[in-house]
Amino acid sequence: MVGGQVLVVEDNERNMKLFRDVLAASGYRTLEAKTGGEAVELVRRHRPQVVLLDVQLPDIDGVEVLRTIRTDARTAFLPIVAITAQAMDGDRERFLSAGFDEYLPKPVDVRELLDVVRRYCPSVGDRVARTAD
Ligand code: MN
């Protein structure tokens, strides 16, 4: 019994390890991409339940990755979370109006990260907790 699949798109190895460890500890399976190109390919092939998308990537900008996913009818409605060090006044609104479902500023608060992921994707931990009630 495993939780849902989360695609993590992040080119920074240390952040990737943090996200992977936190998600795995909560019962999620992760797919990983380091570039926008890989992200688009994995989204098409696996249709994960939620995408955590670093906005600053080495190839395609995260906003461009979002647009590509949104223009494909098979993936248009996937929940996509922007993760970015751009955390100035107005950035949250800017990313949400660009079409992201959620916005998480870096450095990422791991509890906030899990709260957001849980909204779209139940984990093993949630199922265990419900069974114990
Ligand atoms: Mn980056």
Side-chain angles (χ1 to χ4, degrees):
M1 197 171 70
V2 288
Q5 200 166 40
V6 180
L7 171 61
V8 184
V9 187
E10 171 62 81
D11 60 313
N12 178 289
E13 194 49 56
R14 232 195 279 170
N15 287 339
M16 178 64 92
K17 182 181 173 2
L18 173 69
F19 299 153
R20 177 197 301 136
D21 290 350
V22 164
L23 291 166
S26 295
Y28 291 105
R29 291 172 297 153
T30 52
L31 287 166
E32 299 175 13
K34 285 185 187 142
T35 66
E38 282 171 20
V40 169
E41 199 185 314
L42 288 177
V43 161
R44 286 189 179 139
R45 198 185 307 155
H46 297 280
R47 315 245 186 107
Q49 280 173 275
V50 58
V51 180
L52 304 179
L53 180 55
D54 175 30
V55 174
Q56 278 135 313
L57 294 167
D59 57 344
I60 321 168
D61 182 74
V63 178
E64 210 43 54
V65 173
L66 170 89
R67 290 200 184 115
T68 306
I69 294 170
R70 291 283 187 250
T71 53
D72 185 331
R74 294 164 300 173
T75 58
F77 299 101
L78 267 182
I80 304 178
V81 181
I83 298 185
T84 173
Q86 288 173 261
M88 309 278 284
D89 278 354
D91 278 338
R92 178 184 195 87
E93 290 67 29
R94 200 161 58 79
F95 284 108
L96 295 182
S97 66
F100 285 99
D101 295 277
E102 300 277 353
Y103 162 91
L104 289 175
K106 285 183 177 180
V108 169
D109 176 331
V110 295
R111 256 197 271 173
E112 205 183 338
L113 175 90
L114 283 174
D115 282 348
V116 166
V117 169
R118 263 192 214 109
R119 240 170 267 159
Y120 300 105
C121 194
S123 76
V124 172
D126 294 337
R127 286 179 207 172
V128 170
R130 271 204 298 275
T131 310
D133 278 344

